[in-house]
Amino acid sequence: MNTLRNKVQLIGNLGNDPEIIQLESGKKLAKFSIATNENYRNAKGEKVTDTQWHNVVAWGKTADIVEKYVAKGKEVAVEGRLTTRSWDDKDGVKRYTTEVVCNELLLLGK
């Protein structure tokens, strides 16, 4: 059960083309966001779609795969772990973001 302590699995569609960053150290980083949709009926019986956006980062060989095969609109399955990081913006305000660090990627759809 230890492997389940911080594990995320999502299936969704990319909102934009991935951003690929080549670091000075030689490592490659891919950043992208995916949308997941949940459908339900509200109290009036109307169908409602709730869309959630998730920031994803991938490193190394996974980033290479993202760079070659993944583009805006593509459906993907990602598996990884959640991380939260913080930084101070230009006005000195502390900002936070939560990301999925992807360690497995599956290309879905056409």
Side-chain angles (χ1 to χ4, degrees):
M1 292 293 274
N2 282 340
T3 59
L4 296 178
R5 291 193 188 269
N6 186 358
K7 187 173 190 175
V8 177
Q9 295 177 326
L10 298 169
I11 296 175
N13 295 84
L14 268 75
N16 288 309
D17 288 333
E19 177 185 357
I20 307 298
I21 301 168
Q22 187 76 40
L23 301 176
E24 290 179 16
S25 65
K27 284 187 175 183
K28 188 177 285 186
L29 168 65
K31 297 168 103 178
F32 57 97
S33 60
I34 63 172
T36 56
N37 296 316
E38 180 182 355
N39 296 310
Y40 62 92
R41 298 213 177 264
N42 64 15
K44 296 179 182 176
E46 302 164 332
K47 184 178 176 183
V48 177
T49 299
D50 180 34
T51 302
Q52 296 291 318
W53 287 94
H54 312 275
N55 295 321
V56 182
V57 296
W59 294 90
K61 292 188 186 296
T62 307
D64 289 336
I65 292 168
V66 170
E67 182 178 30
K68 288 180 185 175
Y69 301 109
V70 179
K72 179 180 179 176
K74 293 280 188 180
E75 185 178 31
V76 296
V78 297
E79 181 177 292
R81 60 185 171 82
L82 285 178
T83 60
T84 301
R85 58 187 175 84
S86 64
W87 70 96
D88 294 328
D89 70 10
K90 62 181 178 167
D91 299 323
V93 177
K94 193 161 212 68
R95 300 288 184 177
Y96 296 90
T97 189
T98 299
E99 301 168 320
V100 176
V101 178
C102 176
N103 56 24
E104 287 195 44
L105 176 78
L106 182 61
L107 305 173
L108 304 173
K110 299 177 183 176

